[in-house]
Amino acid sequence: MSDNKDAPPSFAMKMSLSGIRLRFSSVQQISTGDLNSMSNNADDLLLADFRYKYEYDISRIPGAIWFDYEETLEDNVNKLLNLVRDKQNTFNGTLNVVAYCALGFRSCQLIEKFQEKLLESDMGLYGHCKCYNLEGSIFKWANEGKPLVSSNGSPTVFVHPFNKVWGKLLDDKFHKS
């Protein structure tokens, strides 16, 4: 798959991302290009896929760990906190925690609550994590032709469009439900 980084995002995508940034102003966004570069050093990266299982089963960004959107947000935040704590036990440095969903709203919810939990936590992890939402999430990632894998780990270009409205932000050639 080749990167389609020269193709500008649609107006609808730009407006949607602007709305997400406005709604979740406390959540730092990371570009698809920066995440793609960061993926080369998986030791300092924890990549969280925060979608429904049927979305995750079609495709995911390589190395992503699934967080079940049907579980409570609190349960998912605690799962992420435990994973970060476990990873910190084997990795000495700053851990980059990046979440994504279809477009970025759900993953911003996860990161926003996770950051709050880090502040409240007495585990000493706050200064050792950088938390991000993948701007445009898997839709933007796929639209740019960045690598995806299917449930069996083989390369794919397909993404679940989430629903008819938001799926319009995903190029039609990548739709699979």
Side-chain angles (χ1 to χ4, degrees):
M1 282 180 264
S2 63
D3 285 336
N4 189 18
K5 58 186 168 199
D6 296 331
S10 70
F11 179 74
M13 174 69 85
K14 288 179 187 176
M15 293 304 297
S16 298
L17 297 182
S18 178
I20 290 170
R21 280 192 302 272
L22 185 62
R23 164 59 179 86
F24 295 99
S25 60
S26 67
V27 175
Q28 189 171 354
Q29 304 292 315
I30 188 170
S31 72
T32 54
D34 286 347
L35 176 61
N36 200 32
S37 297
M38 189 185 286
S39 298
N40 296 329
N41 184 13
D43 289 343
D44 68 352
L45 176 64
L46 199 157
L47 186 58
D49 184 312
F50 193 45
R51 298 180 296 155
Y52 290 108
K53 180 79 165 117
Y54 60 84
E55 293 174 276
Y56 181 79
D57 285 344
I58 289 178
S59 65
R60 65 198 69 125
I61 297 173
I65 298 168
W66 178 59
F67 287 74
D68 188 353
Y69 187 69
E70 292 185 303
E71 296 292 323
T72 67
L73 187 56
E74 184 68 23
D75 285 347
N76 279 297
V77 166
N78 287 329
K79 176 183 175 181
L80 185 54
L81 188 64
N82 288 332
L83 287 170
V84 166
R85 186 182 58 234
D86 291 348
K87 191 137 179 146
Q88 269 318 119
N89 289 334
T90 60
F91 174 75
N92 188 15
T94 301
L95 184 62
N96 294 297
V97 177
V98 180
Y100 72 90
C101 57
L103 188 61
F105 190 89
R106 294 175 284 174
S107 49
C108 275
Q109 288 176 314
L110 179 66
I111 291 297
E112 182 178 65
K113 292 297 180 196
F114 178 68
Q115 290 176 141
E116 291 171 8
K117 187 82 166 190
L118 277 177
L119 282 170
E120 296 169 2
S121 171
D122 60 356
M123 294 182 201
L125 297 173
Y126 179 71
H128 301 283
C129 287
K130 290 183 181 175
C131 302
Y132 305 95
N133 176 64
L134 177 59
E135 187 173 57
S137 284
I138 201 166
F139 283 4
K140 191 168 185 288
W141 184 270
N143 287 343
E144 293 174 354
K146 291 187 171 43
L148 294 167
V149 293
S150 66
S151 60
N152 67 9
S154 61
T156 187
V157 296
F158 297 110
V159 173
H160 193 285
F162 184 60
N163 65 30
K164 287 183 178 186
V165 174
W166 295 115
K168 291 179 181 180
L169 299 175
L170 176 66
D171 288 349
D172 288 341
K173 64 186 174 187
F174 302 129
H175 281 229
K176 185 172 184 179
S177 42

